[in-house]
Amino acid sequence: MKICVLPGDGIGPEIIEQAVRVLKALDLKLEMEEGLLGGCAIDAVKAPFPEATQKLAKDADAVLMGAVGGPAWDNNPRELRPERGLLRIRKDLELFANLRPAILYPELANASTLKPDVVAGLDILIVRELTGDVYFGQPRGIHVDPTSGERVGINTMIYAESEIRRIARVAFEAARKRNKRVCSIDKMNVLECTQLWRDVVIETASDYPDIELSHMLVDNAAMQLVKAPKQFDVLLTGNMFGDILSDEASMLTGSIGMLPSASLDENNKGLYEPSHGSAPDIAGQGLANPLATILSAAMMLRYTFEMEDQAVRIEDAVKKVLARGYRTVDIFEPGTQKVGTKAMGDAVLAALG
Ligand code: NAD
């Protein structure tokens, strides 16, 4: 079980350090090797995704990443920007399935802008297709219409049934590890592409008789997510709808430092990272919340290494830490105990049991 560890920039190294400590404490014989990605790689070898890192990532079973980017590289030419490294690694590893849980621990219910009773205990998983749809479809571009002489912008929403089937399977499999319900999102009333989406999802569901499948139009889903988000278990979406809905869902929790993510390929090899960025404003100060990264490590154990019990062990430890009142600055509220990055890591280790 080989893990490629890419701390990245800003708070990346600080939060990754804590996740690595937690993984080591589980005593699972995981092999971990560090590489450079993002701004630190540009500084060291003038490439955001150096060859050595490409090899490390290809050879590994999973990649655990911190975050990349920062103001030091913002004015670089595009090919020498940290984000370029991130896009390249996702593409190179063919990560088509993005899994983003939005969980609101009862202790953090006040962090949300929604009423606590609407969101307390929220636990949903968005499964978003990541390599197709209108973001990649051809033709695309802006051209001048020869008849009218005005500019026309064009993008193409396109999905092949094989692409729909493989992401639907990821959602059904994920639901099996949760509450066994999938709600598939489309806009079949006006978009033929998403009519095919619905048809193929229904066909695929016949292989999963234990999973309850429902469908919802994307506009209604956007409303339902703020009205009654706890009705959902797994939400299955295409690339564009998922882009929008996953940000909406993550903000229901109000705490960016708590949200993990996974991006998987056909064989459940994955890139695991917190949903937040490199937080340059607090980097190097020992203030960052490491829990999103620690929870990303738990997702890695669940989805790539199929160690559900170990994933739950980490998640339970995080719950205990919150119940014991430990809070980093991003989730602090009066009456709780403010701790830094390392002390939060210590608390998780102590709660591992
Ligand atoms: P950000 O997520 O880095 O920060 C937004 C705010 O949330 C900041 O105030 C930050 O201090 C806070 N925050 C984020 N993570 C935190 C944590 N773990 N603990 C405590 N507070 C936390 O977003 P941004 O400021 O828009 O972007 C900063 C840099 O990160 C940019 O260079 C951007 O390109 C990059 N970025 C990288 C990724 C990635 O690596 N996947 C994702 C998003 C942004």
Side-chain angles (χ1 to χ4, degrees):
M1 292 180 289
K2 271 197 205 162
I3 304 170
C4 163
V5 180
L6 304 174
D9 309 315
I11 60 170
E14 302 166 55
I15 52 180
I16 280 286
E17 187 184 341
Q18 302 313 316
V20 167
R21 285 175 77 206
V22 170
L23 284 173
K24 284 189 175 155
L26 299 176
D27 207 13
L28 297 174
K29 301 195 168 59
L30 303 168
E31 238 181 79
M32 291 186 252
E33 200 171 332
E34 272 197 20
L36 295 171
L37 182 79
C40 59
I42 294 168
D43 289 348
V45 295
K46 296 202 167 37
F49 184 35
E51 264 175 40
T53 309
Q54 290 171 32
K55 183 167 176 355
L56 205 61
K58 281 239 158 79
D59 292 348
D61 301 301
V63 178
L64 182 64
M65 201 189 94
V68 299
W73 305 281
D74 276 352
N75 296 321
N76 281 10
R78 293 227 164 257
E79 61 285 2
L80 285 181
R81 297 243 184 111
E83 294 75 11
R84 185 54 70 95
L86 196 53
L87 293 179
R88 279 277 317 277
I89 191 171
R90 286 178 179 154
K91 194 167 182 327
D92 268 27
L93 298 181
E94 295 176 53
L95 306 170
F96 71 93
N98 183 233
L99 275 59
R100 269 228 240 167
I103 295 174
L104 184 59
Y105 298 93
E107 294 84 0
L108 301 182
N110 289 326
S112 175
T113 49
L114 269 67
K115 292 189 186 112
D117 61 308
V118 176
V119 287
L122 178 78
D123 182 354
I124 60 183
L125 175 69
I126 301 211
V127 176
R128 167 190 169 196
E129 203 287 330
L130 209 53
T131 55
D133 203 350
V134 68
Y135 294 173
F136 294 89
Q138 296 288 347
R140 63 187 299 156
I142 301 174
H143 62 261
V144 177
D145 184 282
T147 317
S148 67
E150 67 172 343
R151 284 175 301 162
V152 177
I154 181 166
N155 289 95
T156 304
M157 179 177 262
I158 181 165
Y159 266 121
E161 57 182 318
S162 56
E163 292 176 300
I164 303 169
R165 204 169 291 117
R166 70 178 182 175
I167 191 71
R169 286 213 178 94
V170 172
F172 288 123
E173 295 287 343
R176 273 195 171 147
K177 294 175 176 155
R178 297 172 47 94
N179 290 322
K180 301 193 168 46
R181 288 186 291 121
V182 170
C183 179
S184 172
I185 307 301
D186 59 48
K187 187 75 182 167
M188 55 76 85
N189 51 345
V190 283
L191 297 171
E192 288 81 357
C193 177
T194 72
Q195 174 69 60
L196 179 70
W197 178 278
R198 187 176 289 207
D199 294 347
V200 174
V201 170
I202 290 170
E203 288 160 26
T204 312
S206 63
D207 292 337
Y208 299 88
D210 50 326
I211 306 296
E212 183 189 316
L213 172 66
S214 61
H215 306 272
M216 198 178 275
L217 298 177
V218 63
D219 39 353
N220 187 23
M223 282 198 302
Q224 295 299 326
L225 266 178
V226 284
K227 187 175 170 222
K230 285 191 269 185
Q231 70 184 282
F232 297 113
D233 179 22
V234 174
L235 277 163
L236 165 62
T237 79
N239 203 347
M240 181 167 64
F241 297 160
D243 190 0
I244 299 163
L245 293 180
S246 64
D247 269 19
E248 186 188 358
S250 68
M251 275 304 103
L252 297 175
T253 72
S255 52
I256 195 158
M258 297 293 305
L259 300 170
S261 81
S263 303
L264 306 178
D265 77 357
E266 298 263 18
N267 305 308
N268 283 345
K269 175 171 176 167
L271 174 88
Y272 298 86
E273 57 177 323
S275 295
H276 59 73
S278 59
D281 52 332
I282 57 165
Q285 299 174 40
L287 295 175
N289 185 348
L291 293 179
T293 316
I294 290 171
L295 291 166
S296 301
M299 286 188 86
M300 177 176 76
L301 297 179
R302 170 171 295 121
Y303 291 108
T304 292
F305 297 120
E306 298 194 344
M307 295 179 174
E308 178 67 21
D309 51 336
Q310 298 294 340
V312 170
R313 209 173 142 199
I314 295 179
E315 289 161 355
D316 282 350
V318 169
K319 283 181 199 156
K320 270 189 212 155
V321 163
L322 295 174
R324 288 172 186 168
Y326 296 107
R327 302 284 188 275
T328 41
V329 63
D330 55 310
I331 50 174
F332 175 74
E333 55 182 310
T336 60
Q337 190 185 339
K338 198 184 280 182
V339 294
T341 313
K342 180 169 182 303
M344 189 55 113
D346 291 343
V348 174
L349 285 178
L352 267 183

